[in-house]
């Protein structure tokens, strides 16, 4: 996500550039294949799940269908976006060349092998499929580690360590599924990964959203610095880490509810300082604020569910996953791809539409079941909105990710 800083806010080099021959460039930079895979896996994971709910014959695989859906929305969709982020951000942070060519091809193959190994219909037993599926993120961290070590800056290790925590959640999930230990750790792992991804949103979002907002407002002649509120930034991030820790050691209890409520307040205070309402005319900016706003919404709804138990709040994980994580991923992918391919920092109308459809999908999935007795209706509405979002993303961005930069520059 931080990868978008700098290149993402530079004036486009496309305007007035000489025409260059378009070539296949999927492996020219780390964000290209993994943002494309995220855009493909997001609708695939939902289509297969909805087909199962509709009674269509979907073959069994190494994981039961509900577990496969939950796992692949995290490790397939979110995981692909995280890898694309790391492969793009680390070169920016360290000043080294981006990842491309053979190493990138190998990492894509490793990631895809994991996805295929777990697919419904895969003949592999879970004991073989799980190690294959677990290999992608460690492979990514090993690839970026030398550059981080040579940079010699301790703070750069923060996001990779968060990603490592995200992967530990996968280890708990698939280790449980493979029967590697007696304890039932699937749910603990699922929420550890969900929460560590939220911590990553908190850390990276806190760096890029105020910066991008200030840059955008300067261009309008109405610059506005974030309002001072000492200690809130650090407290908000620490509270998200606390949510992950409490959910791991004492899940579903009063302590988890209280910590979630506190985190919701701190994150909301942090967001309130960034002048999001001034960006309403710029979808490429306001979507970042909207995605971040789902963080306190998800946490507050979780707190209500754990402390009071009303039925309307029970689906809060979808506010965190389909809301905060997915919308921030969409916001950052669309922005970073524009910046790193030398295009103007303006969201296409189709993408601005996607920015609206995705939060509606999250709200329908989270709150729809409490508004109707038809159990499948809110799932159908949410699924349709979700699919439309990523169809629009792929329609606009797949050509951009597959083809070389229009300005002829590498990357």
């Amino acid at each position: 996500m931080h990868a978008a800083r700098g290149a993402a806010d530079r004036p486009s080099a496309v305007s007035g550039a000489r025409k260059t021959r378009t070539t296949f460039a999927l492996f020219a930079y780390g964000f290209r294949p993994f943002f494309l895979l995220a855009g493909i896996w997001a609708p695939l994971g939902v289509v297969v799940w909805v087909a199962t709910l509709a009674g269509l014959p979907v073959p069994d695989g190494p994981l039961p269908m509900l577990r496969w859906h939950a796992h692949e929305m995290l490790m397939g969709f979110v995981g692909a976006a995280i890898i694309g982020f790391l492969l793009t951000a680390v070169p920016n942070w360290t000043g080294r060349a981006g990842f491309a060519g053979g190493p990138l091809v190998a990492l894509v193959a490793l990631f895809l092998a994991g996805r295929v190994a777990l697919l419904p219909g895969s003949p592999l037993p879970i004991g073989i499929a799980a190690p294959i599926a677990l290999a992608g993120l460690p492979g990514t961290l090993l690839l970026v580690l030398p550059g981080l070590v040579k940079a010699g800056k301790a703070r750069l290790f923060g996001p990779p360590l968060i990603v490592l925590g995200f992967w530990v959640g996968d280890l708990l999930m698939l280790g449980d599924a493979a029967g590697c230990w007696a304890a039932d750790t699937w749910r603990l792992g699922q929420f550890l990964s969900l929460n560590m991804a939220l911590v990553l949103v908190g850390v990276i979002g806190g760096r890029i959203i105020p910066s991008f907002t200030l840059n955008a407002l300067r261009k309008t002649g109405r610059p506005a610095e974030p309002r001072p509120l000492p200690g809130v930034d650090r407290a908000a991030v620490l509270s998200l880490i606390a949510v992950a820790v409490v959910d791991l050691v004492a899940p579903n209890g009063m302590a988890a509810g209280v910590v979630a409520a506190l985190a919701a307040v701190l994150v909301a205070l942090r967001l309130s300082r960034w002048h999001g309402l001034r960006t309403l005319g710029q979808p490429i900016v306001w979507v970042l604020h909207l995605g971040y706003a789902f963080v306190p919404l998800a946490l507050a709804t979780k707190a209500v569910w754990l402390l009071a138990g009303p039925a309307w709040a029970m689906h809060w994980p979808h506010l965190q996953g389909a809301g905060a994580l997915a919308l921030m991923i969409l916001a950052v992918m669309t922005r970073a791809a524009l910046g790193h391919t030398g295009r103007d920092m303006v969201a296409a109308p189709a993408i601005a539409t996607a920015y609206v459809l995705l939060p509606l999908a999250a709200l329908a999935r989270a709150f729809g079941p409490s508004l109707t007795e038809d159990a499948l209706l809110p799932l159908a509405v949410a699924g349709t909105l979700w699919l439309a979002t990523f169809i629009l993303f792929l329609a606009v961005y797949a050509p951009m990710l597959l083809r070389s930069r229009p300005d002829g520059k590498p990357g």
Side-chain angles (χ1 to χ4, degrees):
M1 297 176 186
H2 183 60
R5 179 177 291 178
D9 281 337
R10 287 198 298 266
S12 170
V14 175
S15 302
R18 61 184 177 85
K19 291 183 178 180
T20 57
R21 185 167 62 91
T22 300
T23 59
F24 180 76
L26 183 62
F27 301 106
Y29 213 111
F31 71 91
R32 289 178 175 272
F34 285 101
F35 285 2
L36 182 62
L37 284 169
I40 292 171
W41 223 254
L44 177 66
V46 168
V47 165
V48 175
W49 173 236
V50 170
T52 303
L53 293 177
L56 298 178
V58 179
D60 292 330
L63 291 174
M65 184 52 61
L66 177 58
R67 284 192 167 189
W68 177 84
H69 167 68
H71 182 271
E72 289 304 292
M73 297 312 291
L74 273 171
M75 297 302 153
F77 166 49
V78 178
I82 286 175
I83 293 174
F85 154 66
L86 281 179
L87 296 182
T88 309
V90 170
N92 272 14
W93 296 342
T94 61
R96 297 171 62 85
F99 300 97
L104 182 56
V105 173
L107 187 59
V108 170
L110 187 63
F111 178 82
L112 278 176
R115 309 282 64 77
V116 173
L118 291 176
L119 270 178
S122 168
L124 295 177
I126 187 61
I128 295 176
I132 299 172
L134 284 165
L137 276 172
T140 303
L141 294 173
L142 288 174
L143 187 60
V144 304
L145 184 60
L148 293 171
V149 171
K150 288 183 180 180
K153 299 177 181 178
R155 64 181 177 82
L156 297 183
F157 286 88
L161 286 174
I162 296 170
V163 173
L164 183 61
F166 177 80
W167 177 81
V168 170
D170 194 14
L171 181 64
L172 291 174
M173 283 189 283
L174 292 184
D176 175 25
C180 293
W181 36 73
D184 180 2
T185 58
W186 177 276
R187 186 169 177 82
L188 285 177
Q190 182 179 343
F191 280 94
L192 178 60
S193 294
L194 194 64
N195 287 332
M196 294 310 291
L198 199 69
V199 173
L200 192 62
V201 166
V203 170
I204 302 302
R207 295 180 185 176
I208 67 173
I209 298 174
S211 173
F212 291 162
T213 301
L214 181 58
N215 288 345
L217 293 178
R218 281 174 176 162
K219 293 176 182 178
T220 67
R222 299 182 296 113
E225 296 281 351
R227 301 182 186 93
L229 203 56
V232 166
D233 287 339
R234 177 172 294 183
V237 172
L238 290 175
S239 72
L240 293 176
I241 296 172
V243 166
V245 171
V246 173
D247 277 355
L248 192 62
V249 300
N252 303 320
M254 180 174 293
V258 171
V259 171
L262 176 62
V265 172
L266 290 170
V267 173
L269 281 173
R270 191 185 195 198
L271 175 63
S272 71
R273 300 167 49 238
W274 295 341
H275 304 287
L277 293 177
R278 296 194 182 193
T279 69
L280 293 181
Q282 302 181 62
I284 200 76
V285 183
W286 62 245
V287 68
L288 292 164
H289 293 263
L290 181 58
Y292 206 83
F294 266 86
V295 177
L297 176 61
L299 291 168
T301 307
K302 173 183 178 179
V304 170
W305 167 247
L306 293 177
L307 297 176
W312 60 264
M314 70 181 299
H315 297 292
W316 65 265
H318 294 287
L319 294 173
Q320 185 166 327
L325 299 185
L327 190 53
M328 284 296 293
I329 286 170
L330 181 66
V332 172
M333 289 197 307
T334 52
R335 184 185 190 95
L338 291 176
H340 285 279
T341 58
R343 290 173 166 85
D344 290 324
M345 198 55 57
V346 178
I351 297 303
T353 301
Y355 291 161
V356 175
L357 296 180
L358 185 53
L360 291 177
L363 293 171
R365 182 63 186 89
F367 299 124
S370 65
L371 301 176
T372 176
E373 295 181 359
D374 185 344
L376 289 180
L377 179 60
L379 301 183
V381 171
T384 300
L385 294 169
W386 179 274
L387 292 177
T389 295
F390 288 98
I391 289 170
L392 290 172
F393 170 77
L394 290 171
V396 175
Y397 278 85
M400 193 184 304
L401 296 170
L402 289 167
R403 299 171 186 165
S404 56
R405 290 173 57 126
D407 58 11
K409 294 181 180 180

